[in-house]
Amino acid sequence: MTLFEKIANHEIPATIVHEDADLVAFQDINPQAPQHIIIIPRRAIASIDDVEPGDAELLGKMIVLAKQLARETGVANNGYRLVFNCGPDAGQSVDHIHLHLLGGRELDWPPG
Ligand code: 5GP
């Protein structure tokens, strides 16, 4: 079981900001911006490289939830960034797909 499945199952503590039948969202333990939320599906998919066409609705729900949380946390007015890191060159460190919602400050581009 991945670390993020354990968070979704409440086996490891985290500041959970949203839960529903498909998705869980929680504060990142090492925030890179004033708002840094991780959105995961309950179903374990290792990386974006493993998604199948049948996962499209689930992935869409992740983005819709990100928009909702961006509004709720107040970062939507000034803007925010959504990131899926995929694989070692992108720095993916947990093999359970997760969408980063980052906001609350001006973000550099290109990323490091
Ligand atoms: P990645 O680098 O794989 O794209 O993102 C993984 C993210 O998960 C990182 O931003 C990291 O800080 C966060 N993270 C890792 N372990 C934990 C944990 O135990 N609790 C929480 N809340 N976040 C974690």
Side-chain angles (χ1 to χ4, degrees), residues 3-4 7 12-15 26-32 36 38 83-86 90-96 98 100:
L3 169 68
F4 286 172
I7 288 176
I12 290 178
T15 305
F26 53 89
Q27 304 280 1
D28 196 291
I29 203 167
N30 182 24
Q32 301 301 309
H36 187 171
I38 300 288
V83 176
F84 282 107
N85 290 322
C86 179
Q92 183 178 359
S93 62
V94 181
D95 290 336
H96 182 136
H98 47 282
H100 296 258

CSV table of all heavy atoms in Angstrom, one decimal, residues 3-4 7 12-15 26-32 36 38 83-86 90-96 98 100, ligand 1:
chain,number,residue,atom,x,y,z
A,3,LEU,N,2.0,5.3,0.6
A,3,LEU,CA,1.9,6.3,1.6
A,3,LEU,C,0.6,7.0,1.5
A,3,LEU,O,-0.1,7.3,2.5
A,3,LEU,CB,3.1,7.2,1.5
A,3,LEU,CG,3.0,8.5,2.4
A,3,LEU,CD1,3.1,8.2,3.8
A,3,LEU,CD2,4.2,9.4,1.9
A,4,PHE,N,0.2,7.4,0.2
A,4,PHE,CA,-1.0,8.2,0.0
A,4,PHE,C,-2.2,7.4,0.3
A,4,PHE,O,-3.3,7.9,0.7
A,4,PHE,CB,-1.0,8.8,-1.3
A,4,PHE,CG,0.0,10.0,-1.5
A,4,PHE,CD1,0.2,10.6,-2.7
A,4,PHE,CD2,0.7,10.5,-0.4
A,4,PHE,CE1,1.1,11.7,-2.8
A,4,PHE,CE2,1.6,11.6,-0.5
A,4,PHE,CZ,1.8,12.2,-1.7
A,7,ILE,N,-2.7,7.6,3.9
A,7,ILE,CA,-3.3,8.9,4.3
A,7,ILE,C,-4.8,8.8,4.0
A,7,ILE,O,-5.6,9.2,4.8
A,7,ILE,CB,-2.6,10.0,3.6
A,7,ILE,CG1,-1.2,10.2,4.2
A,7,ILE,CG2,-3.4,11.3,3.7
A,7,ILE,CD1,-0.4,11.3,3.5
A,12,ILE,N,-2.3,7.2,8.4
A,12,ILE,CA,-1.2,8.1,8.7
A,12,ILE,C,-1.9,9.5,8.8
A,12,ILE,O,-2.7,9.8,7.9
A,12,ILE,CB,-0.2,8.1,7.5
A,12,ILE,CG1,0.6,6.8,7.5
A,12,ILE,CG2,0.8,9.3,7.6
A,12,ILE,CD1,1.6,6.7,6.4
A,13,PRO,N,-1.5,10.3,9.8
A,13,PRO,CA,-2.2,11.6,9.9
A,13,PRO,C,-1.8,12.5,8.8
A,13,PRO,O,-0.7,12.6,8.3
A,13,PRO,CB,-1.7,12.1,11.3
A,13,PRO,CG,-0.5,11.3,11.6
A,13,PRO,CD,-0.6,10.0,10.9
A,14,ALA,N,-2.8,13.3,8.5
A,14,ALA,CA,-2.6,14.4,7.5
A,14,ALA,C,-3.7,15.4,7.7
A,14,ALA,O,-4.8,15.0,8.3
A,14,ALA,CB,-2.6,13.9,6.1
A,15,THR,N,-3.5,16.6,7.3
A,15,THR,CA,-4.6,17.6,7.3
A,15,THR,C,-5.4,17.5,6.1
A,15,THR,O,-5.1,18.0,5.0
A,15,THR,CB,-4.0,19.1,7.5
A,15,THR,OG1,-3.1,19.1,8.6
A,15,THR,CG2,-5.1,20.1,7.7
A,26,PHE,N,-5.4,16.8,0.7
A,26,PHE,CA,-4.7,17.1,2.0
A,26,PHE,C,-3.6,18.1,1.8
A,26,PHE,O,-3.1,18.2,0.7
A,26,PHE,CB,-4.3,15.8,2.7
A,26,PHE,CG,-3.4,14.9,1.9
A,26,PHE,CD1,-2.0,15.1,1.8
A,26,PHE,CD2,-3.9,13.9,1.0
A,26,PHE,CE1,-1.2,14.3,1.0
A,26,PHE,CE2,-3.1,13.1,0.2
A,26,PHE,CZ,-1.8,13.3,0.2
A,27,GLN,N,-3.2,18.7,2.9
A,27,GLN,CA,-2.1,19.7,2.9
A,27,GLN,C,-0.8,19.0,2.7
A,27,GLN,O,-0.6,18.0,3.4
A,27,GLN,CB,-2.1,20.5,4.2
A,27,GLN,CG,-3.3,21.2,4.6
A,27,GLN,CD,-3.5,22.5,3.9
A,27,GLN,OE1,-2.7,22.9,3.0
A,27,GLN,NE2,-4.6,23.2,4.2
A,28,ASP,N,0.0,19.5,1.8
A,28,ASP,CA,1.4,18.9,1.6
A,28,ASP,C,2.2,19.1,2.9
A,28,ASP,O,2.1,20.2,3.5
A,28,ASP,CB,2.1,19.6,0.4
A,28,ASP,CG,3.3,18.8,0.0
A,28,ASP,OD1,4.3,18.7,0.7
A,28,ASP,OD2,3.2,18.2,-1.1
A,29,ILE,N,2.9,18.1,3.3
A,29,ILE,CA,3.7,18.2,4.5
A,29,ILE,C,4.9,19.2,4.4
A,29,ILE,O,5.4,19.7,5.4
A,29,ILE,CB,4.2,16.8,4.9
A,29,ILE,CG1,4.5,16.7,6.4
A,29,ILE,CG2,5.4,16.3,4.1
A,29,ILE,CD1,4.7,15.2,6.9
A,30,ASN,N,5.3,19.4,3.2
A,30,ASN,CA,6.5,20.3,2.9
A,30,ASN,C,6.0,21.4,1.9
A,30,ASN,O,6.5,21.3,0.7
A,30,ASN,CB,7.6,19.5,2.4
A,30,ASN,CG,8.9,20.3,2.2
A,30,ASN,OD1,9.1,21.4,2.8
A,30,ASN,ND2,9.8,19.8,1.3
A,31,PRO,N,5.2,22.3,2.3
A,31,PRO,CA,4.6,23.2,1.3
A,31,PRO,C,5.6,24.1,0.6
A,31,PRO,O,6.5,24.6,1.1
A,31,PRO,CB,3.6,24.0,2.1
A,31,PRO,CG,4.1,23.9,3.5
A,31,PRO,CD,4.7,22.6,3.7
A,32,GLN,N,5.3,24.2,-0.7
A,32,GLN,CA,6.2,25.0,-1.6
A,32,GLN,C,5.6,26.3,-2.0
A,32,GLN,O,6.1,27.1,-2.8
A,32,GLN,CB,6.5,24.2,-2.9
A,32,GLN,CG,7.2,22.9,-2.7
A,32,GLN,CD,8.5,23.0,-1.9
A,32,GLN,OE1,9.4,23.8,-2.3
A,32,GLN,NE2,8.7,22.3,-0.8
A,36,HIS,N,-0.6,24.7,-0.6
A,36,HIS,CA,0.0,23.6,-1.3
A,36,HIS,C,-0.8,22.3,-0.9
A,36,HIS,O,-0.6,21.8,0.2
A,36,HIS,CB,1.5,23.4,-1.0
A,36,HIS,CG,2.1,22.3,-1.9
A,36,HIS,ND1,3.5,22.1,-1.9
A,36,HIS,CD2,1.6,21.4,-2.8
A,36,HIS,CE1,3.8,21.1,-2.8
A,36,HIS,NE2,2.6,20.7,-3.3
A,38,ILE,N,-2.4,18.5,-2.0
A,38,ILE,CA,-2.3,17.3,-2.8
A,38,ILE,C,-3.6,16.6,-3.0
A,38,ILE,O,-4.3,16.4,-2.0
A,38,ILE,CB,-1.3,16.3,-2.1
A,38,ILE,CG1,0.1,16.9,-1.8
A,38,ILE,CG2,-1.2,15.0,-2.9
A,38,ILE,CD1,0.9,17.1,-3.1
A,83,VAL,N,0.0,20.7,-10.9
A,83,VAL,CA,1.2,19.9,-11.4
A,83,VAL,C,1.0,18.5,-11.1
A,83,VAL,O,0.6,18.1,-10.0
A,83,VAL,CB,2.4,20.4,-10.7
A,83,VAL,CG1,3.7,19.6,-11.1
A,83,VAL,CG2,2.7,21.9,-10.9
A,84,PHE,N,1.2,17.6,-12.2
A,84,PHE,CA,1.4,16.2,-12.0
A,84,PHE,C,2.9,15.9,-12.3
A,84,PHE,O,3.3,16.1,-13.4
A,84,PHE,CB,0.6,15.4,-13.0
A,84,PHE,CG,-0.8,15.2,-12.8
A,84,PHE,CD1,-1.8,15.9,-13.5
A,84,PHE,CD2,-1.3,14.3,-11.8
A,84,PHE,CE1,-3.1,15.7,-13.3
A,84,PHE,CE2,-2.6,14.1,-11.6
A,84,PHE,CZ,-3.6,14.8,-12.4
A,85,ASN,N,3.7,15.5,-11.3
A,85,ASN,CA,5.0,15.1,-11.6
A,85,ASN,C,4.9,13.6,-12.0
A,85,ASN,O,4.2,12.8,-11.4
A,85,ASN,CB,5.9,15.2,-10.4
A,85,ASN,CG,6.2,16.7,-10.1
A,85,ASN,OD1,6.4,17.5,-11.0
A,85,ASN,ND2,6.3,17.1,-8.8
A,86,CYS,N,5.6,13.2,-13.1
A,86,CYS,CA,5.6,11.9,-13.6
A,86,CYS,C,7.0,11.4,-13.8
A,86,CYS,O,7.7,11.8,-14.7
A,86,CYS,CB,4.8,11.9,-14.9
A,86,CYS,SG,4.7,10.2,-15.6
A,90,ALA,N,11.0,14.2,-13.4
A,90,ALA,CA,10.1,15.2,-12.9
A,90,ALA,C,10.0,15.3,-11.4
A,90,ALA,O,9.4,16.1,-10.8
A,90,ALA,CB,8.7,14.9,-13.4
A,91,GLY,N,10.7,14.3,-10.7
A,91,GLY,CA,10.8,14.4,-9.3
A,91,GLY,C,9.7,13.7,-8.6
A,91,GLY,O,9.4,13.9,-7.4
A,92,GLN,N,8.9,12.8,-9.3
A,92,GLN,CA,7.8,12.1,-8.6
A,92,GLN,C,8.4,11.2,-7.5
A,92,GLN,O,9.3,10.4,-7.8
A,92,GLN,CB,7.0,11.2,-9.6
A,92,GLN,CG,5.9,10.5,-8.9
A,92,GLN,CD,5.0,9.7,-9.9
A,92,GLN,OE1,5.3,9.6,-11.1
A,92,GLN,NE2,4.0,9.0,-9.3
A,93,SER,N,7.9,11.4,-6.3
A,93,SER,CA,8.5,10.7,-5.1
A,93,SER,C,7.5,9.7,-4.5
A,93,SER,O,7.9,8.9,-3.6
A,93,SER,CB,9.0,11.7,-4.1
A,93,SER,OG,7.9,12.4,-3.6
A,94,VAL,N,6.3,9.7,-4.9
A,94,VAL,CA,5.3,8.8,-4.3
A,94,VAL,C,4.5,8.2,-5.5
A,94,VAL,O,4.0,8.9,-6.4
A,94,VAL,CB,4.2,9.5,-3.4
A,94,VAL,CG1,3.2,8.5,-2.9
A,94,VAL,CG2,4.9,10.2,-2.3
A,95,ASP,N,4.6,6.8,-5.6
A,95,ASP,CA,4.0,6.2,-6.8
A,95,ASP,C,2.5,5.9,-6.7
A,95,ASP,O,2.0,4.8,-6.6
A,95,ASP,CB,4.8,4.8,-7.0
A,95,ASP,CG,6.2,5.1,-7.5
A,95,ASP,OD1,6.5,6.1,-8.1
A,95,ASP,OD2,7.0,4.2,-7.3
A,96,HIS,N,1.8,7.0,-6.6
A,96,HIS,CA,0.3,7.1,-6.5
A,96,HIS,C,0.0,8.4,-7.1
A,96,HIS,O,0.4,9.5,-6.5
A,96,HIS,CB,-0.1,6.9,-5.0
A,96,HIS,CG,-1.6,6.9,-4.8
A,96,HIS,ND1,-2.2,6.0,-4.0
A,96,HIS,CD2,-2.6,7.6,-5.4
A,96,HIS,CE1,-3.5,6.2,-4.0
A,96,HIS,NE2,-3.8,7.2,-4.8
A,98,HIS,N,-0.9,12.0,-8.1
A,98,HIS,CA,-1.3,13.1,-7.2
A,98,HIS,C,-1.2,14.4,-8.0
A,98,HIS,O,-0.2,14.6,-8.7
A,98,HIS,CB,-0.5,13.1,-5.9
A,98,HIS,CG,1.0,13.0,-6.1
A,98,HIS,ND1,1.6,11.8,-6.3
A,98,HIS,CD2,2.0,13.9,-6.0
A,98,HIS,CE1,2.9,11.9,-6.4
A,98,HIS,NE2,3.1,13.2,-6.2
A,100,HIS,N,-0.8,18.4,-7.6
A,100,HIS,CA,-0.4,19.5,-6.7
A,100,HIS,C,-1.2,20.7,-7.1
A,100,HIS,O,-1.2,21.1,-8.2
A,100,HIS,CB,1.1,19.8,-6.9
A,100,HIS,CG,2.1,18.8,-6.5
A,100,HIS,ND1,2.8,18.8,-5.3
A,100,HIS,CD2,2.5,17.7,-7.2
A,100,HIS,CE1,3.6,17.8,-5.3
A,100,HIS,NE2,3.5,17.1,-6.4
B,1,5GP,P1,6.0,14.4,-5.8
B,1,5GP,O1,7.3,15.0,-5.5
B,1,5GP,O2,5.9,12.9,-5.8
B,1,5GP,O3,5.3,15.1,-7.0
B,1,5GP,O4,5.1,14.9,-4.6
B,1,5GP,C1,4.9,14.3,-3.4
B,1,5GP,C2,4.5,15.3,-2.4
B,1,5GP,O5,4.0,14.6,-1.3
B,1,5GP,C3,5.6,16.2,-1.9
B,1,5GP,O6,5.3,17.5,-2.2
B,1,5GP,C4,5.8,15.9,-0.4
B,1,5GP,O7,6.1,17.0,0.3
B,1,5GP,C5,4.4,15.3,-0.1
B,1,5GP,N1,4.5,14.3,1.0
B,1,5GP,C6,5.4,13.3,1.1
B,1,5GP,N2,5.1,12.6,2.2
B,1,5GP,C7,4.0,13.2,2.8
B,1,5GP,C8,3.3,12.9,4.0
B,1,5GP,O8,3.6,11.9,4.7
B,1,5GP,N3,2.3,13.7,4.3
B,1,5GP,C9,1.9,14.7,3.5
B,1,5GP,N4,0.9,15.5,3.9
B,1,5GP,N5,2.6,15.0,2.4
B,1,5GP,C10,3.6,14.3,2.0
